[in-house]
């Protein structure tokens, strides 16, 4: 078990330790922790000197769930700002911006030509000749 968990359990048991109400097995673990922890030793000395009233004054640090912030919390709290782009915007220059439009016109023109040839009963070879393939 890590030190923080042992410390929290020992700190909570200090009033029982001061009264001598702790079972022997738990008292052994508490004594081992007290040998390492100045804070628990000091609190135990206060308890033995002044009773339980002092134990209520000093509580162990609150857990994460009980230590929630109060008051207004901005919506952006804890949300990182997006990275700044290296380039503001990428726009094709000159005739390149018309490339997608021209490709679309070419597709539509080919489809229209194929439909006209299909309606006229011409074979597919006529379409290929019109497109310059033979």
């Amino acid at each position: 078990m890590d030190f923080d968990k042992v410390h929290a359990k020992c700190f909570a048991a200090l009033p029982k330790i001061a009264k001598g109400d702790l079972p022997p097995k738990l008292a052994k673990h508490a004594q081992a922790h007290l040998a390492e922890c100045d804070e628990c030793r000091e609190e135990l000395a206060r308890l033995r000197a002044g009773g339980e009233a002092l134990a209520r004054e000093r509580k162990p640090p609150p857990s994460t769930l009980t230590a929630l912030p109060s008051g207004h919390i901005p919506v952006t709290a804890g949300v990182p700002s997006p990275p700044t782009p290296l380039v503001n915007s990428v726009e094709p220059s000159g005739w390149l911006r018309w490339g997608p439009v021209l490709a679309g016109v070419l597709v539509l023109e080919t489809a229209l030509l194929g439909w006209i040839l299909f309606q006229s009963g011409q074979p597919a070879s006529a379409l290929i000749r019109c497109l310059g393939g033979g």
Side-chain angles (χ1 to χ4, degrees):
M1 209 183 286
D2 69 342
F3 182 82
D4 291 335
K5 289 181 182 178
V6 172
H7 175 73
K9 286 184 178 184
C10 184
F11 197 91
L14 285 177
K16 289 184 178 182
I17 295 170
K19 290 180 184 178
D21 293 342
L22 208 60
K25 184 176 181 181
L26 294 177
K28 180 181 172 186
H29 289 293
Q31 291 301 326
H33 176 72
L34 287 167
E36 299 175 0
C37 182
D38 293 332
E39 183 180 359
C40 286
R41 275 195 308 271
E42 290 171 10
E43 182 66 17
L44 183 60
R46 280 192 206 112
L47 283 171
R48 287 180 175 159
E52 282 191 45
L54 291 175
R56 279 188 234 121
E57 289 176 11
R58 184 166 183 172
K59 295 179 181 175
S63 69
T64 307
L65 295 177
T66 59
L68 295 174
S70 60
H72 175 70
I73 301 172
V75 175
T76 58
V79 178
S81 60
T84 28
L86 297 176
V87 179
N88 286 341
S89 66
V90 179
E91 277 190 39
S93 60
W95 63 273
L96 287 178
R97 79 177 107 186
W98 294 101
V101 174
L102 294 174
V105 169
L106 182 63
V107 168
L108 286 175
E109 180 269 333
T110 305
L112 182 62
L113 182 60
W115 182 76
I116 291 171
L117 289 175
F118 177 75
Q119 291 295 324
S120 68
Q122 296 291 325
S125 60
L127 175 62
I128 294 172
R129 277 196 313 267
C130 287
L131 293 175

